[in-house]
Amino acid sequence: MRMHRRTLLALAVFTGLTAPSMALAADDTIKIGLLATFEGPFTVLGEDGERGAMTAVAEMNGTVAGKKIEIVKGSSDASPDSAVRAARKLVEQDGVKVLVGPLSGDEGIAVKDYAKTQPNVTFINGTSAAQDTTLRDPAENFFRFSTDGAQWMAGLGTYAFNDKGYKKVATVAEDYSFPYTQVFGFMAEFCKAGGHVPSKSWVPIGNKDFSSVIAAIPEDVDAIYVALGGADAVNFLTQYQQGGGSAPLIGGSITVDQTVLTSKGKLKDVLKGTPSAGPTADTNDAPAWKAFVEAYKKQPGAFPSPSLFAHGYYVDMKATLLGLDQVGGDVSDGGKKLRDALSKLSFDTPTGKVSLDKNRNAIADIFLTEVTEGADGNLMNKLVKVVPQVNQTLGIPEDEFMKLGAVNRDNPSCP
Amino acid sequence: MSLAITTNVTPQQNWLERLGAGHIILAVALMLYPLVASDFFLTQIGGYSLIFGMLGLSLMLLAGYGGMVSLAQITVAGISAYAIAILGNNNSNILGFGWPWWLAVPFAVLAAALASALIGWVSVRTEGIYTIMITLAIATATYYFAQQNYAIFNGHSGYTGIRAPAFWGIGWRDARPFYYLCLGLAVLSYAAVLYGSRSTFGMTLQAIRDNPRRMRALGYHVTAHKVFAWLLAGVIAGLAGVLLVWFNGRVSPGTIGVDAAIDVLIIAVIGGLRHPIGPFLGAVVVVLMQTFAIDIVGAERFNTLIGMVFLVIVFVSPDGILGLWGRIKPHLAQESLRPGQ
């Protein structure tokens, strides 16, 4: 009888599964899925993304079109598989009709592919910024009100070459689609201006030991372009400094972000004066930005200044809520009205006007910055210049831009 | 590692008796499960649990009967998953030979089995914790290799757009067919392991586990037996890999990362290594926890909750859920204290 008893337990467990909790949202609430990295190497980034999204929700006092907003969270570990799994759970089990997320590049591409199989659900990006999420083979129901990683680099390549006088730059970046996009955006301008990039190092996400990468950087470069995020950036910069490296740095958008600038240690001296570009600048004087920073700081655990993840999730969540407001919170038609409203949506964010192109990718202002020490000793990104209304093709005509080819490790190249 | 294997072999039973009431009830319940479950519970919980149950089963075969704890089972599954992507169709514009499924699947499983045998051949020279170390090293190395190799593995993004086949007028990735496909293969693997454990080979393997020196002295080829066990475990893990890639529609290094490797070990340990049903129980618990913990405690601490639950299970019963059942059973039914039937 041993087998019998044992299998009975299995039976009990399985019958437990047969009661799916398809809790349908009541009429007076509207469910929005929030997908971010709450585990893995990008946890800090994901948590700040959540703060940004919640800032937008708080701005609307937690209601939209008279309905209460219910946020259902999903977590990924920055791998595309986990992002799709979390998205599936939010859509198929929790029944959300609107989903905001994900956070990182390849996740965005994977969720876009998943979006194609769920035409009645509206997907709004978080901060994922790979070019091909919207540029090639886009999904009809995937919207990105935050810009992509190449757009974020607008102005930086020219600035590094002309103003900083760097002629030869080595790059160190993580090995996936978002850093490819960033390096592409930087090199598009830098190479055009006459600069050279003799060496590109690609490191896996979550790399701990950068000694071989540091050893491979040529001696005679004028600067190192670093596009690493979160813990990876801190690890690389610390080891580079300990290894006696002294070349000036050029920062990718998330490398000199608040998630890295606030880290403890001796990084301050290394980072000071690093030029970078991105969708935000900490010392932006615009009243709308200052108001946003104040609102953001009310969130628990907030940084001294919102990171670009807080900003991206805020902009995307805000767009979502504005869209929902326009249609009276009604997504009963499979979200068709909502998607029409979102496509036409143009609104003022803390960082200027945002509108969408035909691929549903944002056109927005980009900020050229430089790291400085603030009065309170915190590192900040000082605003150098605003590059107005950058589109996804970086101002290059679309057919010419497409000829540059898809971004990858080897494209572009100017050794 | 000494684990008692319960074998109730009684001569002269008809096949129904040999199957046992428990198995029949369980089979019927699993067959009828789609009638009550939503699509999400059918594939994301049911199918996924069965796939990871099979992975746990391949580990249970090695660890329970052979005394070899492997952390490389997900790597073996990954090899067949990547093989399906490379031999069949994908939309990543890399490789993709376009073979039909009935050709690609056997090759993928064969590749996985051979890879598993190779891993086994390398690691049978070690014992205990060193086997764990060497298989962990293999799993990690494969993960990083896949992450950085673009010619074969397509780097971090891996392969996308891999479709399950459609034949006999059925799309095998639709919720219900996919569940039955997983169930069919899981039952097949389960029965094979159960049968194999009582076969001459299974008995010999268990004897080798308990005393390899004596078996060697008796004239058995210890290494060959162990490597063959790896080959069999590789077939099961390979089948699970095929299901996994059809389930996700994609495969990337994240699928075969160290986290996933440890998940498989957790599944086997939580479930219990004494009987082939253990890994499936473990898989159900782990998949349910990983899916729903975030709803219970929120996004910040849900991994802590998952860890605590696993800790409690192992603390209360070192033999996992199976051991837990073995412990409460005597209180429930006195007759089970008597040996045999």
Side-chain angles (χ1 to χ4, degrees):
Chain A
M1 285 305 284
R2 278 182 184 175
M3 201 73 68
H4 175 91
R5 299 284 171 192
R6 199 172 291 156
T7 37
L8 267 184
L9 177 70
L11 201 66
V13 175
F14 271 87
T15 42
L17 304 186
T18 57
S21 53
M22 288 288 283
L24 287 168
D27 273 349
D28 54 346
T29 67
I30 184 149
K31 266 192 188 180
I32 300 176
L34 177 67
L35 173 59
T37 50
F38 296 119
E39 51 195 309
F42 291 167
T43 308
V44 177
L45 288 50
E47 285 170 359
D48 208 42
E50 182 195 349
R51 281 179 212 119
M54 298 316 285
T55 308
V57 173
E59 236 169 53
M60 309 282 270
N61 293 322
T63 57
V64 61
K67 295 182 182 184
K68 203 169 162 298
I69 301 166
E70 188 192 342
I71 300 287
V72 191
K73 287 177 213 163
S75 169
S76 73
D77 61 8
S79 74
D81 297 29
S82 67
V84 170
R85 216 177 131 61
R88 271 181 193 281
K89 192 235 164 199
L90 290 173
V91 171
E92 295 170 32
Q93 174 63 19
D94 298 320
V96 303
K97 295 286 171 223
V98 185
L99 191 151
V100 178
L103 180 127
S104 80
D106 279 344
E107 293 183 287
I109 294 177
V111 169
K112 170 205 56 170
D113 286 336
Y114 172 63
K116 289 180 181 171
T117 67
Q118 297 288 343
N120 290 330
V121 180
T122 308
F123 293 80
I124 296 102
N125 187 44
T127 51
S128 91
Q131 196 170 58
D132 281 349
T133 310
T134 53
L135 188 66
R136 290 177 182 81
D137 192 20
E140 291 296 320
N141 50 342
F142 191 96
F143 297 78
R144 175 154 69 190
F145 288 88
S146 53
T147 32
D148 83 16
Q151 289 172 281
W152 291 351
M153 289 287 99
L156 184 62
T158 321
Y159 181 74
F161 189 85
N162 291 340
D163 296 41
K164 287 276 174 184
Y166 302 146
K167 310 291 177 222
K168 250 178 153 181
V169 168
T171 69
V172 178
E174 280 146 344
D175 196 357
Y176 69 102
S177 56
F178 165 66
Y180 300 162
T181 309
Q182 286 244 286
V183 171
F184 175 94
F186 171 73
M187 285 176 67
E189 281 187 17
F190 186 69
C191 297
K192 208 170 162 189
H196 293 283
V197 178
S199 124
K200 288 191 267 186
S201 305
W202 303 107
V203 298
I205 296 182
N207 197 21
K208 300 282 184 295
D209 181 3
F210 287 90
S211 50
S212 62
V213 175
I214 291 167
I217 296 170
E219 293 267 330
D220 61 342
V221 293
D222 300 323
I224 302 173
Y225 173 88
V226 185
L228 303 167
D232 291 350
V234 175
N235 285 337
F236 171 79
L237 294 171
T238 310
Q239 290 173 31
Y240 182 66
Q241 191 199 22
Q242 284 168 353
S246 58
L249 303 172
I250 304 170
S253 304
I254 65 171
T255 310
V256 290
D257 183 73
Q258 282 296 324
T259 51
V260 175
L261 293 181
T262 50
S263 71
K264 304 278 181 283
K266 280 191 186 165
L267 285 181
K268 262 186 190 172
D269 307 328
V270 189
L271 285 168
K272 247 187 264 176
T274 303
S276 179
T280 64
D282 300 332
T283 62
N284 192 345
D285 281 334
W289 172 258
K290 286 191 165 163
F292 169 61
V293 173
E294 286 315 308
Y296 160 84
K297 279 190 184 164
K298 292 196 187 102
Q299 294 296 323
F303 292 119
S305 180
S307 71
L308 77 81
F309 299 96
H311 170 262
Y313 270 89
Y314 169 83
V315 169
D316 279 307
M317 182 58 90
K318 180 88 184 178
T320 308
L321 298 178
L322 288 174
L324 281 170
D325 195 43
Q326 279 186 21
V327 299
D330 179 19
V331 287
S332 55
D333 58 343
K336 212 175 160 314
K337 269 191 294 178
L338 173 64
R339 287 193 288 280
D340 283 345
L342 286 175
S343 309
K344 295 188 194 100
L345 190 65
S346 164
F347 67 109
D348 284 316
T349 70
T351 50
K353 184 180 146 246
V354 170
S355 57
L356 293 186
D357 64 15
K358 67 176 169 52
N359 286 339
R360 295 161 297 286
N361 190 74
I363 302 169
D365 293 351
I366 299 299
F367 299 81
L368 191 63
T369 60
E370 211 167 280
V371 177
T372 50
E373 194 170 347
D376 51 357
N378 292 325
L379 290 184
M380 309 250 164
N381 279 311
K382 188 182 71 178
L383 176 61
V384 175
K385 197 175 111 190
V386 181
V387 187
Q389 298 297 300
V390 179
N391 68 4
Q392 197 173 20
T393 61
L394 310 172
I396 303 169
E398 194 187 333
D399 50 338
E400 222 173 284
F401 189 80
M402 297 303 277
K403 268 187 219 139
L404 297 176
V407 298
N408 59 40
R409 319 172 105 207
D410 305 317
N411 182 39
S413 164
C414 61
Chain B
M1 185 175 293
S2 68
L3 298 161
I5 303 299
T6 54
T7 47
N8 354 349
V9 184
T10 322
Q12 302 301 320
Q13 287 174 314
N14 71 30
W15 67 272
L16 256 177
E17 273 176 302
R18 280 177 60 158
L19 208 54
H23 277 138
I24 295 169
I25 295 171
L26 185 64
V28 170
L30 287 171
M31 291 295 284
L32 296 181
Y33 176 59
L35 295 179
V36 285
S38 67
D39 281 2
F40 179 83
F41 267 82
L42 216 45
T43 55
Q44 299 291 316
I45 303 293
Y48 199 63
S49 298
L50 287 166
I51 294 170
F52 268 85
M54 282 171 72
L55 281 171
L57 180 66
S58 79
L59 171 57
M60 179 270 155
L61 191 162
L62 290 175
Y65 299 131
M68 301 171 282
V69 178
S70 159
L71 278 170
Q73 295 318 103
I74 192 78
T75 309
V76 173
I79 285 167
S80 78
Y82 270 106
I84 290 287
I86 292 166
L87 298 175
N89 285 312
N90 64 70
N91 59 12
S92 299
N93 299 321
I94 297 185
L95 300 172
F97 300 148
W99 292 12
W101 68 271
W102 47 265
L103 204 56
V105 170
F107 266 91
V109 174
L110 185 69
L114 290 178
S116 176
L118 194 67
I119 297 171
W121 186 66
V122 173
S123 57
V124 288
R125 290 143 198 273
T126 59
E127 263 179 33
I129 195 162
Y130 298 102
T131 312
I132 302 180
M133 291 295 290
I134 207 163
T135 50
L136 176 64
I138 290 169
T140 315
T142 314
Y143 166 71
Y144 278 108
F145 183 71
Q147 180 100 277
Q148 299 198 279
N149 177 288
Y150 278 74
I152 307 170
F153 291 95
N154 198 25
H156 183 266
S157 43
Y159 290 97
T160 58
I162 301 149
R163 293 227 174 93
F167 53 92
W168 300 338
I170 302 166
W172 287 94
R173 182 56 183 85
D174 295 344
R176 216 167 262 198
F178 186 73
Y179 170 76
Y180 281 122
L181 181 67
C182 291
L183 183 61
L185 287 175
V187 167
L188 209 63
S189 314
Y190 171 76
V193 170
L194 208 55
Y195 174 80
S197 70
R198 297 167 194 174
S199 69
T200 318
F201 169 73
M203 290 300 183
T204 316
L205 188 66
Q206 289 164 52
I208 288 173
R209 173 199 65 201
D210 293 338
N211 198 333
R213 288 174 72 189
R214 174 179 284 182
M215 290 305 280
R216 194 172 285 125
L218 285 172
Y220 284 94
H221 196 313
V222 169
T223 307
H225 274 84
K226 284 184 167 182
V227 172
F228 189 65
W230 276 87
L231 186 82
L232 296 178
V235 171
I236 295 174
L239 283 172
V242 172
L243 292 175
L244 192 63
V245 74
W246 285 348
F247 170 81
N248 284 324
R250 55 178 301 124
V251 58
S252 64
T255 318
I256 58 167
V258 176
D259 293 359
I262 290 171
D263 276 352
V264 174
L265 182 66
I266 290 174
I267 283 170
V269 172
I270 291 289
L273 290 168
R274 288 194 306 166
H275 188 276
I277 199 72
F280 290 99
L281 293 181
V284 171
V285 172
V286 169
V287 168
L288 280 177
M289 281 303 295
Q290 290 186 340
T291 309
F292 292 108
I294 195 167
D295 293 338
I296 303 172
V297 287
E300 279 73 32
R301 292 283 173 268
F302 71 101
N303 274 326
T304 314
L305 178 71
I306 296 175
M308 299 274 276
V309 170
F310 296 164
L311 208 60
V312 165
I313 292 178
V314 179
F315 183 73
V316 172
S317 161
D319 290 344
I321 300 170
L322 276 184
L324 209 61
W325 180 242
R327 230 165 268 210
I328 50 175
K329 191 167 60 177
H331 301 286
L332 293 176
Q334 284 294 316
E335 87 260 7
S336 64
L337 288 172
R338 289 195 289 271
Q341 296 296 308

